[in-house]
Amino acid sequence: MKPITRLSGLIHEVRRRIHRWGAVCALPLLLVSWTLASASPVLRKKKIPPPLGEILARMNDSAKHLKTVSANIDYTKVTVVVDDKSTESGELFFRKARNPEILLNFLKPDPKVILFKQKRAEIYLPKSNQIQEYDLEKHSGLVEQFLLLGFGTETGELEKSYSIKLTGEEVLDGDTTAVLELTPRQEDISAQLTKIQLWISEESWIPVQQKFFEAGGDYLITRYTAVKVNRELPPKTFQIASPADVKRVKMG
């Protein structure tokens, strides 16, 4: 099985779980009917956004100084054919390192925890008292692309994987954002995602919203609020607190 297909399957499984594609979600990716589902961004028609080159330069500078991110998250999965929309909400914690650490703690509507650490993924399902384990040794780079695209990645690396263009400027919850459209350059990725939109805060120069367009027409919106960068995050932040009798299951 091709690496991208295998990873896509894992991401699909995680998303399926988190967005009721079965019960939860997992790999990025990635979520209580919330204001995101009904609020429309306000288009800044009168103000000319910074040129793309300046935006990428500021994103690059932000990436170089980024160490940690914590935020509230909402993942909204939209299935176009049946006009279905489902949202799950929780918290995100990210530590940038050679082997990045990511923990997603979903609180509503069903609790579950997803941890990416040491090139492994674990999904903790409290209701079944089970932790599912995945080996991501060969696919850790792709995991970061799908889960935290635009966080801590230098723009030169982004441009290797995506064709980037500026489509405008919008205001989300009072935050002025530059809207970028990314088109995958690699066929194995474009087979899964036709394009990605990033709403980049013009204050922090990191994403406050992402929209992933799937090849079949469905899409996923990830919204970040109460974003805090470079906070001190203790090691226990990236540990799953589970009962001693939790059942561990290795997944293929």
Side-chain angles (χ1 to χ4, degrees), residues 89-106:
S89 303
E91 306 169 306
L92 162 76
F93 300 95
F94 165 62
R95 187 197 309 282
K96 182 182 178 183
R98 184 173 182 178
N99 292 315
E101 298 175 308
I102 306 166
L103 186 135
L104 301 169
N105 180 27
F106 293 103

Side-chain angles (χ1 to χ4, degrees), residues 76-94:
T76 299
K77 170 65 183 179
V78 177
T79 305
V80 176
V81 175
V82 294
D83 192 26
D84 178 71
K85 179 185 295 184
S86 59
T87 302
E88 295 226 358
S89 303
E91 306 169 306
L92 162 76
F93 300 95
F94 165 62

Side-chain angles (χ1 to χ4, degrees), residues 41-65:
V42 179
L43 183 63
R44 296 276 299 208
K45 295 182 179 179
K46 296 182 180 180
K47 185 176 179 296
I48 300 175
L52 178 60
E54 179 180 340
I55 293 170
L56 295 179
R58 290 181 178 270
M59 289 176 62
N60 202 52
D61 185 64
S62 174
K64 290 179 179 179
H65 295 90

Side-chain angles (χ1 to χ4, degrees), residues 30-152:
L30 302 156
L31 306 154
V32 42
S33 294
W34 188 72
T35 51
L36 172 63
S38 58
S40 299
V42 179
L43 183 63
R44 296 276 299 208
K45 295 182 179 179
K46 296 182 180 180
K47 185 176 179 296
I48 300 175
L52 178 60
E54 179 180 340
I55 293 170
L56 295 179
R58 290 181 178 270
M59 289 176 62
N60 202 52
D61 185 64
S62 174
K64 290 179 179 179
H65 295 90
L66 187 69
K67 297 179 181 178
T68 68
V69 175
S70 60
N72 295 331
I73 55 172
D74 290 88
Y75 281 3
T76 299
K77 170 65 183 179
V78 177
T79 305
V80 176
V81 175
V82 294
D83 192 26
D84 178 71
K85 179 185 295 184
S86 59
T87 302
E88 295 226 358
S89 303
E91 306 169 306
L92 162 76
F93 300 95
F94 165 62
R95 187 197 309 282
K96 182 182 178 183
R98 184 173 182 178
N99 292 315
E101 298 175 308
I102 306 166
L103 186 135
L104 301 169
N105 180 27
F106 293 103
L107 305 172
K108 298 178 181 179
D110 297 312
K112 75 276 300 183
V113 181
I114 303 168
L115 173 66
F116 299 93
K117 186 175 181 179
Q118 297 298 323
K119 298 182 180 180
R120 298 179 60 82
E122 295 183 348
I123 306 173
Y124 173 46
L125 308 174
K127 286 188 176 180
S128 60
N129 194 29
Q130 181 182 101
I131 293 179
Q132 298 178 348
E133 300 177 343
Y134 295 84
D135 184 0
L136 303 178
E137 176 69 29
K138 298 180 180 179
H139 314 303
S140 57
L142 290 174
V143 171
E144 293 170 44
Q145 284 195 47
F146 283 98
L147 279 176
L148 288 169
L149 187 64
F151 287 91

